Amino acid sequence: MSDESQRLPVESDRDVVRVRQAVRTVAVAVKLSLVDQTKIVTAASELARNTLVYGGGGEVEVALVHNDRRAGIRIVFADQGPGIVDLGLALTDGYTTGGGLGLGLSGARRLVDEFDIDTEPGKGTTITIVKWCR
């Protein structure tokens, strides 16, 4: 269940910084621990940069969410880029095509509680991550 959300374009390095700031603001509002704030901001930064560099830009939606037990933050990264040809390889620890923080998709996945990716060659990529309050 989503309480409130904001959509942000990702068309430049400045937009990646804005995504980081928006994620930090919501993470604080949700009352994530400082460690979990750092994890979600780091994952969001990596994925926003991937949206820009590999997806050719796109959009990010940052939302404060609740389930029956707790609050959290959900972030959706969407682009209309080339998609990921070999998703299994892209999710392999240590795999990188260069340019990011070096975390890659597998590193970002380890930093969050939920990670979902929908991609198809030629049709873009959508990644949804969630971090819940402990």
Side-chain angles (χ1 to χ4, degrees):
M1 167 183 287
S2 177
D3 291 351
E4 54 187 79
S5 69
Q6 60 180 319
R7 292 181 184 273
L8 302 161
V10 179
E11 304 297 335
S12 70
D13 288 336
R14 275 182 283 185
D15 292 335
V16 172
V17 172
R18 285 188 194 99
V19 168
R20 287 177 58 93
Q21 292 168 336
V23 169
R24 169 89 52 207
T25 298
V26 174
V28 169
V30 170
K31 296 186 173 34
L32 289 179
S33 70
L34 187 56
V35 169
D36 283 345
Q37 288 175 36
T38 301
K39 287 179 179 180
I40 192 70
V41 169
T42 301
S45 182
E46 179 75 4
L47 296 172
R49 180 143 316 279
N50 284 359
T51 299
L52 177 62
V53 173
Y54 304 113
E59 184 176 75
V60 175
E61 180 183 16
V62 182
L64 187 154
V65 293
H66 285 90
N67 67 13
D68 293 338
R69 301 185 326 260
R70 56 196 170 170
I73 180 172
R74 182 186 64 227
I75 312 165
V76 180
F77 304 83
D79 68 61
Q80 297 301 312
I84 301 170
V85 175
D86 188 340
L87 185 56
L89 179 61
L91 288 169
T92 302
D93 281 349
Y95 178 78
T96 181
T97 55
L101 295 173
L103 289 175
L105 294 176
S106 66
R109 180 172 60 179
R110 277 193 305 276
L111 295 172
V112 299
D113 298 319
E114 297 176 24
F115 183 97
D116 181 67
I117 185 163
D118 181 24
T119 188
E120 189 175 334
K123 301 209 176 186
T125 300
T126 300
I127 298 175
T128 304
I129 60 175
V130 177
K131 189 75 174 168
W132 294 107
C133 238
R134 307 256 169 248

